[in-house]
Amino acid sequence: MMRHDHQQIVMKADCTIEYDRGRIVLIGAPAAVHHEAGRIIRRFARSGRPYEIEDEAYGCIVLRRLRPKLAGTPRGQVG
């Protein structure tokens, strides 16, 4: 993962959350990581830039922010 000056790290019980440009990395106890990832995905699900799981390993999930949806263009297609 690329590091940027604006990176923010939040420590929670059993889980560390690293916020970076367009990505969130969750590391810690597997149950806590899955719980926090689910919360983030649900929180941004209806926003213009939702998150999805980019990569997953035992005790680690990487979420990436999707590009804004262009009006009238289905997601995944080029307009």
Side-chain angles (χ1 to χ4, degrees):
M1 184 171 100
M2 292 176 29
R3 302 286 179 190
H4 300 281
D5 292 334
H6 61 280
Q7 182 179 22
Q8 177 184 359
I9 299 174
V10 176
M11 302 292 286
K12 290 193 164 199
D14 297 331
C15 185
T16 300
I17 305 169
E18 296 180 25
Y19 296 91
D20 205 351
R21 182 176 297 182
R23 286 193 168 48
I24 299 175
V25 179
L26 301 103
I27 301 169
V33 167
H34 281 277
H35 176 74
E36 290 297 326
R39 279 180 14 118
I40 293 167
I41 290 170
R42 284 189 302 276
R43 181 176 177 196
F44 289 95
R46 292 202 167 111
S47 75
R49 305 261 332 256
Y51 282 92
E52 71 176 6
I53 295 176
E54 178 179 66
D55 197 12
E56 184 175 359
Y58 185 79
C60 179
I61 293 179
V62 178
L63 302 176
R64 74 178 171 121
R65 192 160 228 181
L66 298 174
R67 292 187 195 177
K69 183 178 176 182
L70 300 175
T73 305
R75 224 180 259 279
Q77 293 183 356
V78 177

